[in-house]
């Protein structure tokens, strides 16, 4: 523990400082995909003809499906 | 300036006639003859009850008028550092080594604890202890512990009546393996000594000892000695010189210092852990809720625009929280963040797919859960303004792989100027790991014998 304590305390201190810095810098938070925006027709969204969405979706399964 | 026997400065005595104090008269050595071989032996300490003949090794009991031979030492003398008759100089006084003892524990002859009795006719006697090249100096005292003592474990705390706190170095039972010279009590090979050793909590190097020998408890106080002090007192050096060098010390820190290392590491880590927990709570509570809306399943299947809400922009983060009351079910969501510009246009700025799933049940009598009924989206928004969400989703229960409509409702919350919590969470995990490892190491250190 003579030397290990310095490593442990340095790790705890640096992780805290990095966590604080990364939080305030919003590191890892993506910027919106289209900051300028892409024009949409509201009608097309409502009628589901935009091509952006599929009309039916599948699920990869889990829980009961994986026999838990 | 007066110093006590350990070298610490003592307060000046407040006596009017202190010059009238007379020093203790020196004890004059007494000459006796060994009953085993007839050799002439000198008894230098008036309290001597046992003397070992330096010629034939007979252990002589001289506590009674009639001298008795108690036995002989085993062949093979332990590797004592100091010889009988060797000097120890301290504070201008010369102490002479008049007795030596070697103790073993659990029959281990390779790991002996050595004790030397040094005597000065005016200043009495002191004990020098040696273990693995580390030395200590103790003198008998009458300071008793408030509670506990013998049988304590390493790292345990003891308080004495002089209000000093001590950390246990270790305890156990020594067995006397070898004795020579003269001792103030009758000691024989095989005698058992129950002991507990302590270091002062403040890390000053002061030590406290408790020993029970043949039912009698004795207390001692003293100091750990560094190699330089031993070298200065004996004229020996760690290497070279006329006299044999001192053994190499392992330079072990005492129990109080090591305990301090563990406790300080745990305290510092706990402070950082608390800081990270505070940071995590702050990230959860940061920001302003700007929109909250509940959506029925049918509307979610069709797709819907949420109520408008204002986002600050300037690269601040917006958190979109989805909550669906799922139970052994899943929900797949497609979300678009849409900005209403001044010209009345709807501009898509972000789109993302999200899956929510929550399963639970019992297996082997134990409850298990998987997933969560909540999901989050966090995005940075460069431009401020009025936004809306377009959300569409489907859901299904159990192991249904595909779905075309939603069977569950959805609650949506949007928070402006939110903060990411993942970094604080990661730092918390690291601090918990460090804290756990340190606690395990501390527990192992306490259990391990010194």
């Amino acid at each position: 523990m003579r030397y290990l304590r310095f490593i442990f305390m340095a790790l705890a201190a640096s992780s805290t400082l990095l966590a604080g810095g990364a939080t305030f810098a919003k590191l890892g938070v993506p910027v919106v995909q289209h900051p300028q925006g892409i024009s949409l027709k509201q009608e097309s969204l409502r009628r589901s003809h935009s091509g952006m969405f599929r009309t039916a979706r599948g699920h990869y399964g889990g829980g009961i499906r994986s026999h838990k | 300036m007066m110093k006590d026997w350990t070298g610490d400065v003592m307060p000046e005595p407040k006596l009017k006639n202190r010059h009238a104090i007379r020093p203790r008269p020196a004890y004059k050595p007494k000459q006796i003859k060994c009953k085993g071989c007839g050799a002439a032996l000198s008894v230098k300490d008036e309290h001597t009850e046992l003397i070992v003949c330096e010629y034939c090794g007979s252990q002589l009991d001289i506590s009674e008028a009639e001298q008795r031979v108690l036995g002989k030492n085993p062949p093979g003398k332990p590797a004592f550092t100091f010889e009988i008759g060797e000097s120890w100089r301290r504070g201008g006084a010369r102490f002479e080594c008049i007795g030596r003892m070697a103790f073993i524990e659990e029959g281990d002859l390779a790991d002996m604890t050595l004790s030397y009795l040094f005597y000065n006719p005016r200043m009495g006697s002191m004990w020098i202890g040696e273990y693995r090249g580390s030395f200590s100096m103790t003198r008998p005292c009458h300071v008793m512990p408030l509670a506990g003592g013998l049988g304590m474990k390493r790292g345990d705390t003891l308080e004495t009546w002089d209000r000093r706190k001590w950390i246990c170095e270790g305890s156990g039972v020594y067995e006397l393996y070898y004795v020579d010279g003269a001792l103030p009590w009758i000691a024989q090979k095989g005698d058992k000594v129950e002991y507990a050793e302590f270091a002062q909590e403040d890390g000053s190097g002061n030590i406290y000892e408790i020993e029970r020998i043949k039912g009698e408890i004795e207390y001692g106080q003293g100091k750990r000695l560094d190699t330089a002090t031993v070298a200065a007192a004996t004229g020996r050096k760690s290497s070279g010189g006329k006299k044999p060098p001192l053994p190499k010390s392992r330079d072990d820190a005492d129990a109080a210092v090591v305990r301090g290392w563990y406790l300080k590491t745990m305290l510092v880590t706990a402070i950082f852990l608390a800081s990270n927990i505070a940071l995590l709570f702050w990230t959860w509570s940061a920001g302003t809720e700007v929109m909250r809306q509940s959506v029925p399943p049918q509307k979610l299947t069709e797709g819907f625009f949420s109520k408008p809400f204002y986002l600050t922009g300037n690269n601040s983060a917006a958190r979109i929280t989805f909550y669906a009351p799922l139970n052994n079910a899943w929900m797949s969501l497609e979300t678009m963040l849409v900005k209403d510009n001044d010209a009345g246009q709807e501009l898509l700025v972000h789109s993302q797919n999200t899956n929510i799933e929550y399963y639970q049940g019992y297996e082997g009598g134990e409850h298990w859960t998987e997933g969560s009924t909540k999901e989050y989206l966090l995005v940075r928004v460069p431009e401020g303004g009025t936004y809306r969400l377009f959300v569409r989703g489907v859901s299904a229960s159990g192991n249904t792989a595909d779905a075309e409509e939603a069977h569950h409702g959805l609650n949506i919350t949007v928070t402006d100027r939110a903060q990411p919590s993942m970094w604080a969470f990661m730092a918390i995990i690291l601090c918990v790991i460090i804290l756990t490892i340190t606690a395990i190491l501390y527990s192992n250190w306490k259990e391990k014998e010194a």
Side-chain angles (χ1 to χ4, degrees):
Chain A
M1 203 61 192
R2 184 184 293 264
Y3 305 109
L4 202 58
R5 67 196 159 116
F6 294 117
I7 297 170
F8 281 179
M9 286 193 278
L11 266 175
S14 55
S15 67
T16 305
L17 288 174
L18 283 172
T23 300
F24 287 109
K26 295 175 187 62
L27 216 65
V29 180
V31 180
V32 291
Q33 291 160 335
H34 315 290
Q36 302 304 316
I38 300 169
S39 181
L40 292 175
K41 284 183 180 175
Q42 190 175 321
E43 206 176 335
S44 67
L45 283 170
R46 285 203 173 130
R47 289 182 186 171
S48 308
H49 293 159
S50 70
M52 285 201 174
F53 294 135
R54 290 167 291 150
T55 51
R57 279 159 293 262
H59 181 63
Y60 50 78
I64 290 170
R65 197 179 175 209
S66 60
H67 306 290
K68 283 210 170 183
Chain B
M1 188 187 297
M2 287 181 69
K3 289 184 176 180
D4 70 6
W5 65 278
T6 64
D8 291 340
V9 176
M10 291 173 64
E12 287 288 327
K14 292 175 182 174
L15 296 172
K16 286 180 182 173
N17 57 344
R18 64 180 179 177
H19 296 292
I21 297 172
R22 288 184 185 175
R24 176 193 157 174
Y27 171 73
K28 288 179 182 171
K30 191 169 75 178
Q31 300 297 319
I32 61 164
K33 276 193 175 181
C34 171
K35 201 172 178 180
C37 66
L41 301 171
S42 177
V43 181
K44 294 176 179 173
D45 180 359
E46 63 203 291
H47 301 297
T48 299
E49 292 190 1
L50 176 102
I51 190 161
V52 180
C53 177
E54 59 193 278
Y55 302 100
C56 70
S58 295
Q59 294 163 356
L60 308 171
D61 175 1
I62 58 167
S63 61
E64 315 258 334
E66 182 77 14
Q67 190 186 112
R68 282 193 306 139
V69 178
L70 298 173
K72 284 195 173 185
N73 273 322
K77 196 167 68 172
F80 286 111
T81 299
F82 305 120
E83 297 298 330
I84 294 288
E86 188 156 346
S87 301
W88 184 286
R89 294 185 187 279
R90 185 155 191 94
R94 176 185 175 271
F95 290 79
E96 183 180 326
C97 182
I98 61 168
R100 304 186 295 187
M101 291 191 289
F103 295 96
I104 55 171
E105 240 181 319
E106 295 169 356
D108 186 3
L109 292 174
D111 197 25
M112 288 190 183
T113 301
L114 307 172
S115 277
Y116 306 88
L117 178 60
F118 279 86
Y119 176 75
N120 176 285
R122 288 189 194 280
M123 300 176 78
S125 57
M126 65 175 182
W127 287 96
I128 298 294
E130 179 187 351
Y131 182 66
R132 294 181 182 176
S134 296
F135 293 92
S136 63
M137 179 166 55
T138 51
R139 277 191 134 181
C141 72
H142 300 288
V143 182
M144 292 171 67
L146 289 175
L150 292 169
M152 283 183 130
K153 280 188 173 181
R154 182 152 79 165
D156 289 347
T157 308
L158 176 105
E159 190 175 357
T160 45
W161 279 96
D162 57 359
R163 294 295 162 197
R164 286 203 273 180
K165 285 190 177 170
W166 307 86
I167 307 302
C168 185
E169 295 256 23
S171 63
V173 180
Y174 284 139
E175 182 187 329
L176 183 60
Y177 175 74
Y178 186 96
V179 58
D180 67 4
L183 293 177
W185 74 85
I186 306 299
Q188 279 181 275
K189 182 181 182 299
D191 280 356
K192 298 283 193 294
V193 181
E194 207 178 335
Y195 75 93
E197 294 166 343
F198 301 85
Q200 195 166 349
E201 192 185 36
D202 61 7
S204 59
N206 291 331
I207 55 175
Y208 180 71
E209 291 179 348
I210 305 172
E211 289 184 349
R212 179 153 57 200
I213 309 161
K214 294 176 182 171
E216 282 186 23
I217 291 191
E218 291 183 2
Y219 305 98
Q221 277 188 3
K223 269 191 168 183
R224 283 170 69 93
L225 302 172
D226 56 30
T227 309
T229 306
V230 179
T234 58
R236 288 171 185 258
K237 293 177 180 171
S238 47
S239 62
K242 288 178 186 173
K243 292 182 179 179
L246 291 169
K248 279 191 177 175
S249 167
R250 289 201 317 178
D251 195 26
D252 286 344
D254 69 34
V257 174
V258 177
R259 181 176 173 269
W261 290 344
Y262 283 110
L263 296 185
K264 276 176 196 163
T265 306
M266 285 194 275
L267 177 69
V268 169
T269 310
I271 290 169
F272 286 121
L273 176 64
S275 308
N276 287 312
I277 290 171
L279 181 65
L280 184 69
F281 276 107
W282 177 76
T283 59
W284 282 345
S285 61
T288 313
E289 188 180 298
V290 289
M291 200 279 286
R292 178 183 283 266
Q293 192 167 348
S294 294
V295 189
Q298 190 189 344
K299 208 171 171 185
L300 189 61
T301 306
E302 292 170 1
F304 74 99
F305 271 103
S306 73
K307 293 183 281 187
F309 51 87
Y310 183 81
L311 295 178
T312 311
N314 285 329
N315 268 323
S316 64
R319 182 171 56 232
I320 304 158
T321 308
F322 300 106
Y323 166 75
L326 303 174
N327 187 13
N328 288 323
W330 58 267
M331 179 177 276
S332 182
L333 296 170
E334 290 163 338
T335 309
M336 295 171 76
L337 182 63
V338 179
K339 187 172 189 281
D340 295 334
N341 72 0
D342 297 336
Q345 281 183 305
E346 289 167 339
L347 302 172
L348 169 72
V349 292
H350 192 77
S351 68
Q352 197 162 335
N353 292 346
T354 311
N355 285 313
I356 315 173
E357 55 180 327
Y358 179 74
Y359 295 93
Q360 55 94 18
Y362 287 87
E363 192 171 288
E366 285 193 15
H367 186 238
W368 61 267
T369 64
E370 185 184 294
S372 169
T373 52
K374 263 188 182 179
E375 276 297 331
Y376 304 89
L377 287 182
L378 199 63
V379 283
R380 278 195 280 172
V381 181
E383 276 190 34
T386 304
Y387 289 81
R388 282 185 293 164
L389 288 175
F390 182 84
V391 183
R392 190 162 56 175
V394 294
S395 70
S397 293
N399 58 1
T400 310
D402 298 294
E404 293 194 7
E405 56 185 36
H407 298 281
H408 303 83
L410 183 71
N411 291 335
I412 307 169
T413 311
V414 179
T415 307
D416 185 28
R417 285 177 285 124
Q419 298 290 342
S421 51
M422 58 188 167
W423 300 109
F425 189 68
M426 284 163 73
I428 285 171
I429 290 173
L430 187 65
C431 286
V432 168
I433 290 171
I434 293 171
L435 207 55
T436 308
I437 292 173
T438 310
I440 290 169
L441 291 175
Y442 179 54
S443 174
N444 289 345
W445 172 80
K446 280 192 77 173
E447 291 300 318
K448 208 172 107 184
E449 283 301 313

